[in-house]
Structures are given as structure tokens and as C-alpha cells.
Amino acid sequence: MTEALDRTPEVALDPGTRDRLLAEPALILGDRELMRALVAAREAELGENVIDIRGRAMQALEHRLDRLESAHESVISAAYENQAGTQTIHRAVLSLLEPMDFPGFLETLETDVAPILRVETLKLVMESPEDAAPSDTGPLVVLPAGSIGRLIAAGRKAPRGDDIVLRRASPETLAVHGTEVRSEALLPLDLGPGRRPALLVMGSRDTGRFSPAQGTDLLRFFAQVFRLVLIGWLRG
């Protein structure tokens, strides 16, 4: 027994590596895979009937750290996306303010604003007086009275009048888009007393571009600016 205790254990590491690890133990602590292997070797040495509480605690802390890192990355990613979205909306708003006349304003929707927002279609829908015929002149679509409510409802119970609708493209709006889209955003516009409501319709070929789970704060801001600019042109 004494002979066994006095026996010098075999050193598997070369002297250079051993000296470096003794001088910088953080090299081991900073390597997760190596730490897992050390804990597993320790538990194997103790046997099946002995539990190394320190090893289990380290594993629990490691899992918690993984979750925190994942949450941190998600927050950073969301912040970058929100910043990029804000910059996009600001560019689109500036484009709305540049035209010098109403035809130029409508043309800007197709030539400038739609590409900035990365949508295939951007249409302004307005309702006609009782005696006017429907028309479609590029980005401006004029429909009979009551059409906007039907477009928003799309066969379902209509939301509040000022609610922005994000959804998969509906057959009811196909004629408005004038081309095939897979998802759409509908932005109701209240033009004030004595005027019929209007609707800004965006369409994308990307199914996930607009969905009910997405936030609407930036689109709501864009709709408010668009509404004020449009009222200004209507007054002129």
C-alpha cells in the first residue's frame, strides 16, 4: 500500500505545455470543451455512486450563460433591425416631401418611395364621389364609395378604422396591386371632416415581408406623415 501511495503519477503533458498551463490557468478555464472534458473525467474517477456537486453547478451555470448570450444576441439583432428600419422610413419620408406638384408626388411613390421601402407595389386608394367612375392611374386607384372598408375587411370582421393591417395578400386587393404579391400592408388614412377615407396599400412578393406578428410603429409614423402631405396637396 505504501509503495502504491509513494508512486509518482505519470505526467502526460510535456514540460513546456505543463509550465504554460501552470503560469496561465485561465487558458483552461476559458475553453468550454476542455472544461467539460475535465468535469467528465472527474466524475468518471469518482464512480457512478458519487456526484460532483461542483461539476453539476458548473454545468448549470454554463447552460445559463448560453441562454444569456443567446438573449443578448437577439436584443442586439433586434436593435440593429429597428435602427435600419427607422433609417428606411426617414428616407421614404424625405422622398415624400421633395415633389413640387401632385403628379410629381404620385410619381415619387413608384419611382422612389417603393424601392426605398423594398416593396413591389405602393398604391394610394381613394374613394370617388357618387357620380364618378372608378379609375386606375398608376399609383392612384379611385374606387366607388365603401370600397376601402371592404378591402380592409377582406371578407372578415373589419378592425378599427385606424388600425394598420399586415397580412398575406388577399384576393380582394389583387386588382389594386395590379401584380402578384404574397403579403401586404394596408394603412388607413383619415383625411378629415368632409372627405372620404383613403388607403395606402403596400405589396411584397415575400410572404414574410408583412405579417400580423410584426410591429407597426414605423409604418404608423410613415402613414401619419403621408396623410399630412396628402392633405396639403388636396387643399392646394
Side-chain angles (χ1 to χ4, degrees):
M1 176 68 70
T2 303
E3 180 182 355
L5 292 174
D6 292 340
R7 186 180 302 160
T8 302
E10 181 181 355
V11 178
L13 296 175
D14 63 86
T17 302
R18 185 172 184 274
D19 291 342
R20 184 183 179 190
L21 292 178
L22 289 174
E24 300 181 76
L27 294 175
I28 297 178
L29 298 176
D31 192 316
R32 292 190 184 182
E33 295 298 327
L34 185 54
M35 288 299 297
R36 289 193 190 101
L38 292 174
V39 171
R42 176 60 177 167
E43 291 186 346
E45 180 183 347
L46 293 174
E48 296 181 357
N49 296 327
V50 180
I51 298 177
D52 186 352
I53 299 299
R54 290 176 302 176
R56 297 300 173 86
M58 191 185 75
Q59 290 178 356
L61 289 174
E62 183 179 326
H63 291 322
R64 183 178 180 185
L65 178 60
D66 288 339
R67 291 196 299 269
L68 289 174
E69 286 183 346
S70 178
H72 183 63
E73 291 174 357
S74 298
V75 170
I76 293 177
S77 177
Y80 277 121
E81 289 180 1
N82 187 62
Q83 183 181 24
T86 301
Q87 293 175 347
T88 297
I89 293 298
H90 287 173
R91 289 172 55 208
V93 165
L94 291 176
S95 295
L96 292 178
L97 301 176
E98 289 182 358
M100 302 301 294
D101 52 32
F102 189 62
F105 171 73
L106 294 177
E107 182 180 358
T108 297
L109 297 184
E110 286 188 324
T111 59
D112 297 335
V113 181
I116 290 174
L117 296 177
R118 295 182 293 109
V119 293
E120 276 67 47
T121 61
L122 180 58
K123 301 286 186 175
L124 171 61
V125 181
M126 303 185 72
E127 293 186 345
S128 63
E130 299 294 340
D131 55 348
S135 64
D136 184 345
T137 55
L140 176 61
V141 179
V142 180
L143 298 176
S147 297
I148 288 179
R150 289 191 292 271
L151 292 176
I152 295 175
R156 297 181 292 272
K157 182 179 179 181
R160 294 186 316 174
D162 61 344
D163 279 352
I164 292 176
V165 178
L166 306 179
R167 67 190 183 195
R168 299 190 66 152
S170 170
E172 280 79 0
T173 56
L174 179 60
V176 173
H177 292 292
T179 186
E180 182 180 356
V181 296
R182 297 179 180 271
S183 63
E184 61 186 3
L186 280 66
L187 286 61
L189 305 172
D190 182 0
L191 302 182
R195 290 195 177 98
R196 298 184 182 276
L199 182 68
L200 195 60
V201 181
M202 303 179 186
S204 172
R205 295 191 180 96
D206 181 2
T207 304
R209 181 70 173 81
F210 300 111
S211 70
Q214 296 171 346
T216 59
D217 290 346
L218 291 177
L219 285 178
R220 192 174 302 278
F221 171 74
F222 178 77
Q224 290 171 349
V225 175
F226 187 94
R227 168 183 171 272
L228 294 175
V229 174
L230 179 58
I231 289 177
W233 287 118
L234 295 178
R235 286 174 178 169

